[in-house]
Structures are given as C-alpha cells and as structure tokens.
Amino acid sequence: MKKPVVIGIAGGSGSGKSTVTKELIKLIDKDSVTVIEQDSYYKDQSDKPFEERIKTNYDHPFAFDNDLLISQLKDLIDGKTIEKPIYDFEVHNRKKERENVSPSDVIILEGILILTEEKIRELLDIKVFVDTDSDVRIIRRILRDLKERGRTLDSVILQYMSSVRPAHLQFVEPSKRYADIIIPEGGYNKVAIDLINTKIQQVLNS
C-alpha cells in the first residue's frame, strides 16, 4: 500500500480549521480522505469526579493523550484501521464507545496544538496554520459552545479569558513558525486551498 499524504491543520480555537478541511475534501474526494480531530484525544478523566473534570484546561498541551494520538496516526499511515476515542464535552470525559476509522490516500489531522508536538510534526507531510483575528475566533467559539456543547455564555467568556487566550499566546501562536503554509482570513482563502490541493495531488501522483 502506498504511503498516504498526511496533512496537519492547526490554528486557534475558532480559526476555521474545519472550514479548510471541508473545502479540501470537496476538491479531493471524500472517499479518499480520513479526518481525525485532536479534540478526540483529550485524556480520559474517568478517575476524577465531575467537579474536578470541569476544571480541565483544554487549551494546554498536557490535556492531550498525544501518545495515543501518535500511535493511532502511525497505524493509519501503515494502513491499519483504528478505534478512535470519542470525547463528550458536556461530561468532560471520553465516551465508552469508540469510532472505527479506516485509512485513506489522504489523512487530515486537525487541532489547535498539533504543531507544538515534534513527534506529531514528524509524521506530517504538509503543515498548515489557519491564522484568524482573535475577535472572529471568540465569536465563532461562543456560537459553537452554546449550540453544540451545552455551555452558558458566561462560562464560555470566563474560559476564554482564563485559559483559552493565555494558551493561544503561549502555545498556539508560536507554533505557527512550523507551518509550511499559513492561511489568513479564517479558512475562506480559495487560493491557499487550491495550492494545498495542488501539492496533495503532486504527492499522490509521485
């Protein structure tokens, strides 16, 4: 089996990483793309009561089970199917169920901190950073957390000020220097998307 093309798409929370991923899938072929999200690999917290789990700083590198992520990414690259964890943000813990994910010609890894970890970077053929203004990111985060994660407005804003913004400045923003391609304007940059797709096709056909 030919080695798949592995693309890492990083950027701050609400930057437009998912938009870039969706646009790339449209250009490639949804049956030829496997997408895994770093959010699925938050550490299991079954040993902690709910009161402790809600204090988790999800924007800090220590929150992620990178060993499992790296292991499963390597399995996908080797052509193996994985059982990807599923994270439930309402209970702040992994679900008991797992999701079967099959390998493809193109693997997209999406997440805020994937470029901060050297062992992850070494597995990426194309490293992308989606660069978006902070005001746009916070608005998108508020809308997402209210609609999808059962959060209150006060809790989202408090979390942003106490952990999201500091972690972005300390970890996410500096990781931009490792990117091969930086996409401005929140992922809606068609020229950048086309360039990434061209590179993907070159690697696939080489």
Side-chain angles (χ1 to χ4, degrees):
M1 179 179 175
K2 186 175 181 181
K3 180 183 179 299
V5 181
V6 186
I7 307 161
I9 301 179
S13 178
S15 61
K17 299 181 295 298
S18 296
T19 299
V20 172
T21 298
K22 290 174 183 176
E23 293 302 313
L24 284 174
I25 291 173
K26 289 179 185 177
L27 292 173
I28 305 169
D29 179 356
K30 65 179 181 180
D31 295 326
S32 299
V33 182
T34 293
V35 179
I36 55 175
E37 305 84 5
Q38 189 182 26
D39 282 4
S40 299
Y41 293 87
Y42 282 116
K43 290 178 179 177
D44 181 78
Q45 301 192 98
S46 300
D47 59 333
K48 299 179 181 178
F50 180 77
E51 293 73 19
E52 288 297 316
R53 298 201 302 265
I54 61 176
K55 298 176 183 177
T56 300
N57 182 353
Y58 288 107
D59 296 87
H60 195 286
F62 289 159
F64 292 97
D65 186 349
N66 282 326
D67 289 340
L68 178 61
L69 170 56
I70 292 167
S71 173
Q72 293 201 335
L73 183 56
K74 286 181 176 178
D75 282 343
L76 287 172
I77 293 171
D78 290 339
K80 301 174 183 177
T81 297
I82 63 169
E83 291 189 347
K84 182 173 69 70
I86 303 171
Y87 203 84
D88 187 336
F89 286 92
E90 291 193 26
V91 300
H92 299 270
N93 202 14
R94 287 182 188 170
K95 293 184 176 181
K96 293 181 179 179
E97 302 83 7
R98 297 242 174 170
E99 178 185 354
N100 284 335
V101 178
S102 301
S104 298
D105 294 333
V106 178
I107 299 171
I108 297 178
L109 171 61
E110 174 193 314
I112 60 173
L113 293 171
I114 58 173
L115 296 184
T116 64
E117 176 64 47
E118 183 179 4
K119 291 182 180 179
I120 295 177
R121 294 198 305 269
E122 291 173 348
L123 299 174
L124 305 176
D125 298 302
I126 303 172
K127 299 180 286 294
V128 179
F129 188 94
V130 185
D131 199 12
T132 305
D133 290 342
S134 58
D135 57 344
V136 176
R137 288 190 287 103
I138 180 58
I139 290 171
R140 288 177 177 171
R141 186 181 178 99
I142 288 172
L143 292 174
R144 180 201 67 189
D145 285 2
L146 292 181
K147 292 179 180 179
E148 301 177 12
R149 298 185 177 177
R151 304 282 302 282
T152 65
L153 178 59
D154 286 350
S155 70
V156 176
I157 293 174
L158 178 61
Q159 184 184 34
Y160 180 82
M161 296 304 296
S162 63
S163 60
V164 177
R165 185 176 183 276
H168 180 87
L169 296 175
Q170 184 177 359
F171 302 112
V172 182
E173 187 69 21
S175 75
K176 182 165 59 177
R177 69 181 182 271
Y178 298 114
D180 301 311
I181 301 171
I182 297 175
I183 302 180
E185 301 180 20
Y188 291 99
N189 191 308
K190 188 177 186 303
V191 173
I193 299 293
D194 287 342
L195 286 171
I196 297 170
N197 180 50
T198 299
K199 179 62 178 177
I200 291 170
Q201 299 305 326
Q202 288 177 348
V203 176
L204 285 176
N205 296 321
S206 61

